Amino acid sequence: SAGGQLDRLPLCTSLPSWMPQEALDRFVEAFKASGFRGGINYYRCLNRNWQKTKSAFQKAGGKIKQPTLFIGGELDPVIKTYGGPEATARMVSKVCSDLRGCCFIADCGHWNTQEKPHETTQALLRFLENTRDLGDLGDLDLSGRSRL
């Protein structure tokens, strides 16, 4: 076995700037009440999810054909596991036939939406601007709440 992920992480001696104590306390209380099953189940289901999607992926020639933007943090241990930003970008480009870009946010780890929300939002807005070639949104109202 390659060992656990926790052994590979640096020891934290203080909270990061993007995680105030009050927010951490709220997370701790929520997880005490409900457990961390949801967060763990994602990883427990990786093989099952692959089995359920493998056929569609293979029918698509092993490519994701939708316009794609990959966003990650330069300091993300997962990105480092795959050989760094350049190696990750090469890997992503092999499976995305309409890759519109790879954005690696400086001074950012795994949780880019929490650590660097402004930079993440700006990357998403640039990506959406870069998909205008797909057509007009027509009367779609993007100003309100999500209707999903």
Side-chain angles (χ1 to χ4, degrees), residues 64 66-74 79 82 84-106 112 119-120 122-124 126-128 130-131:
I64 297 170
Q66 291 81 3
T68 305
L69 170 67
F70 181 89
I71 303 175
E74 286 183 349
I79 301 295
Y82 286 104
E86 295 80 17
T88 301
R90 283 192 302 274
M91 183 177 60
V92 170
S93 70
K94 289 179 183 178
V95 296
C96 297
S97 61
D98 190 6
L99 181 62
R100 303 289 173 113
C102 289
C103 176
F104 296 96
I105 301 172
N112 56 290
E119 292 85 344
T120 301
Q122 291 304 308
L124 288 168
R126 285 191 303 272
F127 168 70
L128 292 173
N130 194 21
T131 60

Side-chain angles (χ1 to χ4, degrees), residues 25-38:
D25 293 343
R26 283 187 62 201
F27 284 122
V28 168
E29 289 305 313
F31 290 132
K32 280 182 181 177
S34 65
F36 195 61
R37 181 173 291 180

Side-chain angles (χ1 to χ4, degrees), residues 114-148:
Q114 286 83 19
E115 296 176 52
K116 299 286 184 169
H118 176 76
E119 292 85 344
T120 301
T121 300
Q122 291 304 308
L124 288 168
L125 290 173
R126 285 191 303 272
F127 168 70
L128 292 173
E129 184 65 33
N130 194 21
T131 60
R132 288 194 180 271
D133 61 302
L134 301 175
D136 188 3
L137 294 176
D139 295 330
L140 184 62
D141 179 11
L142 298 177
S143 63
R145 293 178 185 229
S146 171
R147 296 188 183 110
L148 300 177

